Amino acid sequence: MTVKSLFTVVGAALLTLLAATPATAASPTRPFGSLIEAESFDATHGVRVLADANASGGHAIAFSPGDWVRFDSIDFGAPGQTSGYATWRSCATGSGTVELRLDSPAATPFLTFNPSGGGCTQWYQSSLRLGLGSTPTGVHAFYTTARSDATSCDFYRFDSLQLIKQTFPPIP
């Protein structure tokens, strides 16, 4: 009788403990239009995080050819709702291509740009227009990848990115 009672008490305590244990939280969704600091990534391959007092969040990331950074749970909105601009603060020490992709670092880019070289003595604000046909929709993992023929390290430095929504009038 004592063994059965002890099992009942221990079993009930274990069930109570399991019920009280919080579930692992998923990454919060980042709405289209929110400022994304480079150092707020969810995963990376090859990039270096650099302390920089002039960067908007106090840090930036440096890309070499083949590097990528991933930001989870970016909400691009419903079809037909989002268009606008992608703006970013960055600098480049060499030539190369930066590509924005969804869900995989090997996916087809939805936006590609070639940052201007010339050094990283200051941050540059740049913008590219997104049309309704080129703006993704729904919630995705968002990748920034870097390609370059140069073998130089850290050819591109990235401070922050913002996808700015424009819903009326839509950009064709």
Side-chain angles (χ1 to χ4, degrees):
M1 189 79 151
T2 305
V3 173
K4 184 175 181 183
S5 296
L6 181 59
F7 177 75
T8 302
V9 171
V10 171
L14 181 59
L15 288 175
T16 302
L17 179 62
L18 290 174
T21 303
T24 304
S27 295
T29 301
R30 301 178 206 199
F32 189 93
S34 60
L35 181 69
I36 301 170
E37 291 291 343
E39 66 274 16
S40 71
F41 57 79
D42 292 292
T44 65
H45 171 74
V47 300
R48 290 187 318 123
V49 178
L50 309 170
D52 186 328
N54 295 320
S56 61
H59 291 87
I61 56 176
F63 284 85
S64 295
D67 291 354
W68 57 260
V69 62
R70 185 186 81 217
F71 303 95
D72 289 340
S73 302
I74 305 297
D75 187 355
F76 289 92
Q81 289 185 332
T82 55
S83 66
Y85 293 87
T87 66
W88 61 93
R89 289 186 65 200
S90 64
C91 62
T93 59
S95 63
T97 302
V98 176
E99 298 165 325
L100 307 182
R101 304 168 187 263
L102 299 180
D103 302 323
S104 167
T108 301
F110 71 90
L111 185 65
T112 299
F113 60 93
N114 299 311
S116 300
C120 283
T121 57
Q122 66 181 7
W123 290 104
Y124 297 95
Q125 185 80 24
S126 303
S127 296
L128 282 178
R129 192 165 140 164
L130 297 171
L132 287 174
S134 63
T135 304
T137 58
V139 178
H140 295 275
F142 171 72
Y143 286 81
T144 301
T145 62
R147 288 187 297 118
S148 177
D149 292 336
T151 57
S152 64
C153 292
D154 302 343
F155 80 93
Y156 177 67
R157 294 186 183 176
F158 170 47
D159 176 27
S160 62
L161 172 77
Q162 186 169 21
L163 302 169
I164 299 171
K165 185 183 286 190
Q166 178 181 353
T167 55
F168 185 80
I171 297 172

